[in-house]
Amino acid sequence: MAYDKFTVLKSTAVPLPMENVDTDQIIPARFLKATKREGFGDNLFRDWRYNNDGSPKQDFVLNNSIYSGEILVGGKNFGSGSSREHAAWAIYDYGFRSVISSFFADIFKNNSMNIGILPVQVSDAFLNKIFQAIEAYPNALVEVDLPEQKVTIVSTGEYEFFDINGYKKHNLINGFDDIDYLQAMKSEIMDFAQKSRY
Amino acid sequence: MSSKPSSLFDKVWDAHVVRSIPDGPDIFLIDRHFIHEVTSPVAFLGLKSRNLGVIYPDKTFATADHNTPTINQHLPVEDPLSANQLKALEQNSHQYGISHWGLNNPKNGIVHVVGPENGITLPGMTIVCGDSHTSTHGAFGCIAFGIGTSEVEMVLSSQCIMQPKPKKMRINVNGVMSKGVTAKDVVLYIISKLTAAGATGYFVEFAGSVFENMSMEGRMTVCNMSIEMGARGGMVAPDETTFNYIKGREKAPKGEAWDEALVYWKTLKTDEGVVFDQEYYYDAADIEPMITYGTNPGMGIGISELIPSAEDIHAGKASFAKSLQYMGFAEKEGMLGKPIDYVFIGSCTNGRIEDFRAFASIVKGRKKADNVTAWIVPGSHLVEKQIREEGIYDILVEAGFELRQPGCSACLAMNDDKIPAGKYAVSTSNRNFEGRQGPGARTLLASPLVAAAAAVTGKVTDPRTLIT
Ligand code: SF4
């Protein structure tokens, strides 16, 4: 088992209503020098979060104590850019278990699911509703229900269903990962590789 | 054959599927795997903690590039964290029997430059690397894309990853490219039309006379940046240009194996009648030298055009305003004449010999502008050697430039090559994200010709005015 199981997550949420949040913002390259996967949370959104002298930027949402929770709500095209899985590690290490957006970059989406973060893609309209709910009431609870594939704004009861492929869903719910699966079919792979051109 | 017409992408993909999981991804065999010092150490840690080995060490190649210094490479690497990653790559490669081209190895260089130049990258392969610009190798008719570290671990341990099959897009560019327009401009133009997320979920085939007439290096530049429109990757059908490029390279097939390979490679093209999920057509005549003004690669314009106004931007007005503020630009301003501070030529986008030839063609007989700091960084030792052998080095030195040593350098600024906060850099790399080239750095992406024009004039200049 590779990571925590994911079933239903009910939590307050941190809003980041910015589009095209790229992985260079999530974790700048100069922090990629570690050879372990823990500890990246301290530098999550480093340059948006801290001034050059290391003092926190007051206007950035992670420095605003009225917002907290295990769900990060981001604007459209979240996680574009570099393939660095460190971006997902940083989000996880900081304490988020799910990211909601109306659109995710492919590699980020894969990387997240590979480490047990659930990316939830909702419509633009529903994303706006979530942002509005949090704006109106920073303690608003959002519920992400993976078995039902449903995300709900608890205070208003509004909800939307989201897509996820059956295989990934099964993995997340059980905390399995692809490496376990691939190891189990190693001889099939080796037979195939034997016949392959390269 | 009477079978259903199939695309280049489908042919290569389908030939590599070991098993399809119902309502899940395809399990997909990887022919070549490149690793580097930044995204591999944790994957090896994972292998160790699960007690797994590397299944086919001869299909993986290691090179050090992301955080290596670009001067004094003969000295020990000063930054202890970088040195640690380099050591980890070397030790892991050694332990598992993977060939390793570390610093000072004559074959060392940026992973996406050394793969093709050594004949490791061949048509019809599946290629992955923990770096999103793995898409570069698509220029050879490969399915090549970037992966995360968990996937690096998968490939090391099983030679497979799991991917749902992406949708298919074809981008056609026909017509004749005008003077001063390069492969980089073509791809920046396409991204400016499609936006930075316009091809998300797709694998792109580039087709049409512009790509057919393009050199391999140009095709690599285009495929390199396919990820910047969100695509999983991009590819170009292999043809005589491809075969001529590969022939004689170290790891390319030889003799009978070559003849046999050629027969297969010639089948790697999209059949008549294939329907793509999405298809676009552009005319090369509409493309001028490009430059970006914002903080994602889709925010590009022809060099003589004006920055659009917020009204013209349909999506993300807040991001647009934030972006211009970061760049210190205003809407409806022109880019020409804007003073710049740095020029960076290099990276896996434009760090090959043709790029330095192009740069030198403008620099020759001129002088570096006093206000400009220029970092000229070859993509590999082989490229560096060519620069010297072809006399490009002398042209550069005469004009007041210095040549650095190979590596990713200011493309991602993990080493000391960081653009200072607030400074403007015309860069031939692939990303202009906030802080990509150093905290607070302001990046203008462009071709080697535009970079050269900026380097000798100290401002954004249309290279066409300097070409005789
Ligand atoms: S040059 Fe830039 S894009 Fe290319 S491999 Fe290096 S860091 Fe990645």
Side-chain angles (χ1 to χ4, degrees):
Chain A
M1 197 173 86
Y3 43 73
D4 303 337
K5 299 177 183 192
F6 194 114
T7 48
V8 180
L9 174 66
K10 194 193 252 187
S11 168
T12 51
V14 176
L16 191 63
M18 191 59 67
E19 300 195 350
N20 301 314
V21 173
D22 60 75
T23 51
D24 273 83
Q25 305 321 314
I26 299 173
I27 182 89
R30 60 188 192 281
F31 298 111
L32 305 186
K33 295 188 183 182
T35 47
K36 305 192 309 254
R37 72 165 76 198
E38 295 78 26
F40 288 97
D42 292 344
N43 293 314
L44 174 66
F45 293 118
R46 176 73 200 202
D47 294 336
W48 285 350
R49 199 166 144 199
Y50 297 105
N51 293 306
N52 287 344
D53 62 7
S55 60
K57 291 187 179 174
Q58 291 314 332
D59 56 354
F60 187 62
V61 66
L62 293 190
N63 296 322
N64 188 340
S65 59
I66 65 170
Y67 300 108
S68 64
E70 293 181 51
I71 298 172
L72 177 64
V73 190
K76 198 176 190 139
N77 197 25
F78 190 91
S80 59
S82 153
S83 61
R84 58 187 69 158
E85 195 168 300
H86 311 66
W89 300 341
I91 288 172
Y92 190 93
D93 196 59
Y94 185 87
F96 293 116
R97 292 296 172 267
S98 177
V99 182
I100 301 176
S101 173
S102 57
F103 199 81
F104 288 97
D106 278 338
I107 303 184
F108 177 80
K109 197 170 178 179
N110 262 326
N111 286 344
S112 300
M113 291 193 283
N114 279 334
I115 66 159
I117 294 174
L118 177 62
V120 176
Q121 187 161 324
V122 298
S123 65
D124 285 318
F126 195 72
L127 186 71
N128 270 332
K129 283 185 185 163
I130 300 178
F131 280 133
Q132 283 161 10
I134 305 171
E135 197 183 338
Y137 184 54
N139 285 328
L141 287 172
V142 176
E143 182 180 88
V144 178
D145 184 330
L146 176 57
E148 294 291 321
Q149 298 181 217
K150 184 176 171 188
V151 51
T152 309
I153 302 167
V154 176
S155 54
T156 63
E158 290 167 293
Y159 63 87
E160 195 171 278
F161 291 101
F162 60 88
D163 270 343
I164 180 169
N165 82 48
Y167 166 82
K168 283 286 180 195
K169 176 176 171 181
H170 176 81
N171 271 5
L172 282 162
I173 290 175
N174 294 291
F176 296 155
D177 73 7
D178 292 351
I179 295 172
D180 302 330
Y181 191 101
L182 291 170
Q183 282 306 311
M185 57 177 286
K186 208 158 170 178
S187 62
E188 187 181 340
I189 293 171
M190 289 175 86
D191 286 347
F192 187 92
Q194 186 113 50
K195 284 178 258 149
S196 82
R197 171 168 293 269
Y198 296 109
Chain B
M1 277 207 295
S2 61
S3 60
K4 224 174 126 227
S6 131
S7 72
L8 166 63
F9 171 73
D10 288 321
K11 288 177 186 177
V12 180
W13 182 279
D14 296 346
H16 289 84
V17 176
V18 182
R19 185 198 283 181
S20 292
I21 302 178
D23 191 25
D26 285 350
I27 294 168
F28 192 75
L29 187 76
I30 299 303
D31 293 318
R32 292 292 177 269
H33 181 204
F34 294 103
I35 58 173
H36 60 81
E37 73 278 22
V38 176
T39 56
S40 69
V42 171
F44 283 105
L45 268 191
L47 284 189
K48 286 168 196 163
S49 73
R50 292 174 197 245
N51 239 325
L52 297 173
V54 173
I55 183 169
Y56 296 119
D58 56 336
K59 294 186 197 284
T60 294
F61 296 83
T63 184
D65 56 3
H66 276 59
N67 66 24
T68 53
T70 55
I71 48 168
N72 293 326
Q73 288 185 350
H74 61 290
L75 299 177
V77 173
E78 275 178 29
D79 175 2
L81 293 172
S82 298
N84 192 31
Q85 285 191 327
L86 294 169
K87 205 173 84 205
L89 183 71
E90 187 177 351
Q91 284 175 346
N92 287 324
S93 302
H94 186 76
Q95 181 179 344
Y96 292 99
I98 293 166
S99 91
H100 170 248
W101 297 338
L103 269 191
N104 297 314
N105 184 309
K107 293 194 184 297
N108 173 261
I110 303 173
V111 50
H112 311 310
V113 176
V114 300
E117 84 187 354
N118 287 287
I120 298 173
T121 301
L122 299 174
M125 282 182 167
T126 52
I127 301 181
V128 294
C129 170
D131 180 282
S132 51
H133 294 93
T134 309
S135 57
T136 312
H137 306 265
F140 293 80
C142 297
I143 292 184
F145 50 85
I147 56 176
T149 297
S150 295
E151 291 167 313
V152 173
E153 192 180 332
M154 284 174 221
V155 179
L156 290 171
S157 58
S158 70
Q159 207 59 38
C160 285
I161 58 170
M162 299 189 171
Q163 292 278 320
K165 193 172 182 178
K167 288 181 281 184
K168 291 191 292 275
M169 178 185 289
R170 181 160 62 185
I171 297 176
N172 305 274
V173 187
N174 287 296
V176 182
M177 280 156 65
S178 39
K179 186 180 85 170
V181 175
T182 67
K184 181 67 164 287
D185 303 302
V186 172
V187 71
L188 282 172
Y189 177 84
I190 294 170
I191 303 168
S192 76
K193 295 289 170 200
L194 284 183
T195 79
T200 303
Y202 291 89
F203 212 98
V204 175
E205 179 177 344
F206 295 100
S209 62
V210 160
F211 304 110
E212 284 159 19
N213 296 329
M214 206 176 255
S215 69
M216 278 319 290
E217 301 202 349
R219 293 178 191 177
M220 285 189 250
T221 301
V222 170
C223 290
N224 174 280
M225 291 201 67
S226 49
I227 177 77
E228 305 308 335
M229 48 186 114
R232 207 69 182 90
M235 65 204 305
V236 177
D239 59 8
E240 287 305 319
T241 306
T242 323
F243 311 145
N244 289 336
Y245 177 96
I246 297 170
K247 195 160 194 170
R249 296 203 181 248
E250 186 177 317
K251 296 201 187 293
K254 309 260 155 47
E256 261 178 50
W258 171 265
D259 296 335
E260 196 254 332
L262 212 52
V263 173
Y264 171 61
W265 293 347
K266 287 183 175 165
T267 66
L268 295 173
K269 49 176 184 267
T270 295
D271 302 331
E272 288 286 332
V274 170
V275 180
F276 284 77
D277 299 299
Q278 190 65 260
E279 186 143 19
Y280 294 97
Y281 294 87
Y282 300 108
D283 184 348
D286 295 338
I287 307 175
E288 62 165 340
M290 296 286 295
I291 194 157
T292 64
Y293 59 88
T295 55
N296 74 55
M299 300 174 83
I301 50 175
I303 197 159
S304 66
E305 292 172 3
L306 303 183
I307 296 174
S309 67
E311 281 162 35
D312 301 331
I313 302 292
H314 302 298
K317 288 196 192 343
S319 310
F320 180 75
K322 183 170 185 290
S323 181
L324 286 192
Q325 192 195 9
Y326 179 88
M327 293 301 293
F329 295 152
E331 53 184 357
K332 295 190 206 148
E333 261 180 359
M335 293 296 289
L336 286 174
K338 286 199 179 292
I340 58 114
D341 311 291
Y342 282 75
V343 167
F344 169 58
I345 165 155
S347 87
C348 59
T349 314
N350 285 121
R352 297 181 182 79
I353 189 63
E354 284 179 9
D355 302 314
F356 296 95
R357 285 183 197 139
F359 188 85
S361 73
I362 287 202
V363 159
K364 190 173 182 178
R366 298 192 168 92
K367 289 280 180 226
K368 182 184 82 65
D370 290 336
N371 60 318
V372 169
T373 305
W375 290 333
I376 301 181
V377 186
S380 71
H381 282 297
L382 272 181
V383 174
E384 182 184 352
K385 196 163 147 242
Q386 280 173 294
I387 289 175
R388 290 180 194 274
E389 285 170 0
E390 293 186 11
I392 293 172
Y393 178 77
D394 302 317
I395 295 172
L396 295 176
V397 170
E398 203 150 301
F401 294 96
E402 287 163 32
L403 184 65
R404 297 175 81 93
Q405 291 172 296
C408 294
S409 180
C411 173
L412 88 168
M414 267 191 90
N415 65 358
D416 288 339
D417 306 346
K418 292 181 174 55
I419 312 292
K423 298 291 184 192
Y424 291 98
V426 175
S427 176
T428 67
S429 55
N430 43 51
R431 288 192 172 136
N432 50 356
F433 299 148
E434 284 185 31
R436 169 79 177 184
Q437 298 196 289
R442 293 159 158 171
T443 302
L444 312 174
L445 297 176
S447 74
L449 291 177
V450 172
V456 295
T457 61
K459 53 190 188 215
V460 176
T461 300
D462 189 334
R464 291 172 293 192
T465 62
L466 302 181
I467 300 173
T468 41

